[in-house]
Structure formats: structure tokens, C-alpha cells
Amino acid sequence: MIMADKERIVVKIGTSSLIQENGRVNLASIDRLAFTLVCVNNQGYQPILVSSGAIGVGLASLGLTKRPAEIARQQALASIGQTELMRIYSQRFLDYQTKVGQILITRDVLTFPVSLQHVIDTFEVLLADKVIPIVNENDPVAVDELDHHTMFSDNDELSAQVAVKVGASKLIVLSDIDAFYDADPHQDPDAKVIRHVEQLTPEMEAAAGGSGRGTGGMVTKLRAAKTMLAAGKQMILCNGKDPAIIKDVLAGKEIGTRFGKGN
């Protein structure tokens, strides 16, 4: 891996990489993620983790398999799951002598200058102390009512916004698909991988419909890519089945799809 001098990166991991098909928490995947981010941190990078999975972990914690339809119950599950998820993260990272800090964000935190500056200051202190920030949307209090907009549409959008605000050079999105294709690979067996994208086209956005099993889907990942491209930054979309792939991405290997210029 190329050595870094405090290069800041954001890693976003989706629920599908954290929760197994049977609904149980994927502890092995979380352990590999923790080990990889600690290695990256020790090599000079400043990693920030944006983690989905609060509701999924809440369901697993209560032994449930079906996500409730009621918003209040979803938010209650997120409250339970976020606590359990952070307990697991804290334990796994401490196994590798690294501390983590939780940052819960709503859209208005990044919208208003004073709150934005406070959260950026928090990131700066944590990163300077080699503490890895773990970010999620503050689901139990995030609502959109009248003119009070606090919700992000998904954690893909959240991760891109965080990456831009904290000055990260790269956003690595760990998904349940290998890359961005010219058609939906689940529907078209002849779909081909697009390895490098410097500019999103209407044709690419049309090809994004429905790809991926995660709640965000490919459409939201392209929105995140558009945010990163507009800021002159890179986004790499790749399969998060084995989080150790982060090392290969940072080493410049041709993995997944790289949005933006450069290697």
C-alpha cells in the first residue's frame, strides 16, 4: 500500500455487509473492517467510517426478522441497534489497540454554519488523536416535517456530504455489488463493468435503476459520486464482502469503479 501522510478518507459500509442473510450480525466482517481500518490508520491515513446497520442490528438484537412499517418503531429499533452496533465496533477496534468515537448527524447539522463548524472541530480532534470516527445518521430524531428537514435520503448521501465537509480525498463505498455496470447485472447477463468514470452521463444514470440489494441502491450511489465529482474528489465503489479490499483500493489496484480523475 502507498504510504500516506495524513490523507483523509471516508469509508461507507452498507447494511448488507454488516448483516447476514439470516438476519444475524456479521461479526467476522466487522472484525475484518476494524483490522483493516486500524492498519490504514497506522500507515498514516485518517479514516472515517460511515456505517449503516442500526435498524438491522436492532432487529437482530431483539430476535426479529421483519422491519416494522411504523416510523416510530423503526426509530426505536435504530436507537437500540445503534447502541449495540457501537458496542460491537468499540470492542473490535479495542482488540487492535484503537479507540473509536461516535458522531451522529442530521442534515441540519451540516446545513447550519455554526453546527457544521462544531462537528468539523470534533472530527479534527478525534483524527489528530488517531481515534477513528464512526458516523451514522441520528435516526431516532431525524424527521422531515414542514420546513424542518433533518433527514438524509440514505447513508450514501451522508457519506459523500461528510467526505466533502471534512476535506477527504476519497470516499470508498463498500456495497453488495462489485462495481458500476452499463446495465443492471441482476437483469442483464451481458452487463459490463465500467472501471473509470470521470463524468456522469444521462445514459449512466439511466443504467443505474435498481442495481444492488441495499436500501440505497445504485441510484443513490451515483448521487454520492456526483457530489464527490463536483468537489474534485474521488469515489470508489466496490464489493464490501471482505473489507480488506480497502487496502487494495488505496494501493491503486483496479478494483470496482473509480469515479474521478487519477489513480
Side-chain angles (χ1 to χ4, degrees), residues 80-95:
I80 295 169
Q82 192 64 44
T83 302
E84 178 66 8
L85 184 59
M86 284 304 300
R87 183 192 67 79
I88 296 170
Y89 274 134
S90 180
Q91 180 187 64
R92 290 304 188 271
F93 277 90
L94 282 174
D95 285 343

Side-chain angles (χ1 to χ4, degrees), residues 27 40 45 51 54 76 78 96 101 113 133 146 196 222-223 233 244 248 254:
L27 296 175
V40 165
Y45 290 90
S51 176
Y96 303 111
L146 299 177
H196 300 279
L222 286 197
R223 288 199 200 112
K233 310 293 185 180
D248 293 331
E254 192 172 79

Side-chain angles (χ1 to χ4, degrees), residues 53-64 66-84 139-140:
I55 291 179
V57 173
L59 287 168
S61 179
L62 296 179
L64 303 175
K66 186 177 180 180
R67 180 173 175 147
E70 300 91 336
I71 296 299
R73 289 194 176 276
Q74 290 183 25
Q75 292 181 306
L77 275 173
S79 177
I80 295 169
Q82 192 64 44
T83 302
E84 178 66 8
D139 290 319

Side-chain angles (χ1 to χ4, degrees), residues 158-258:
L158 171 61
S159 64
Q161 291 292 334
V162 167
V164 171
K165 301 297 186 186
V166 302
S169 62
K170 294 180 180 66
L171 167 61
I172 301 173
V173 176
L174 303 180
S175 181
D176 55 6
I177 59 172
D178 296 331
F180 176 54
Y181 292 77
D182 61 0
D184 186 343
H186 297 105
Q187 304 294 328
D188 185 352
D190 295 322
K192 295 180 176 58
V193 172
I194 301 175
R195 290 295 181 192
H196 300 279
V197 176
E198 291 191 6
Q199 183 176 357
L200 289 172
T201 65
E203 291 77 17
M204 289 177 181
E205 295 187 39
S211 297
R213 290 189 293 105
T215 56
M218 184 57 72
V219 172
T220 61
K221 289 169 179 56
L222 286 197
R223 288 199 200 112
K226 186 178 291 187
T227 297
M228 295 299 289
L229 288 171
K233 310 293 185 180
Q234 286 189 351
M235 185 184 107
I236 300 89
L237 172 65
C238 55
N239 196 309
K241 184 176 181 180
D242 183 357
I245 198 172
I246 294 168
K247 295 181 182 179
D248 293 331
V249 170
L250 294 176
K253 295 183 180 180
E254 192 172 79
I255 293 171
T257 299
R258 190 177 297 264

Side-chain angles (χ1 to χ4, degrees), residues 99-114:
K99 291 185 179 298
V100 297
Q102 182 182 44
I103 299 181
L104 295 175
I105 295 177
T106 51
R107 180 183 288 276
D108 53 351
V109 169
L110 301 185
T111 300
F112 296 105
V114 174

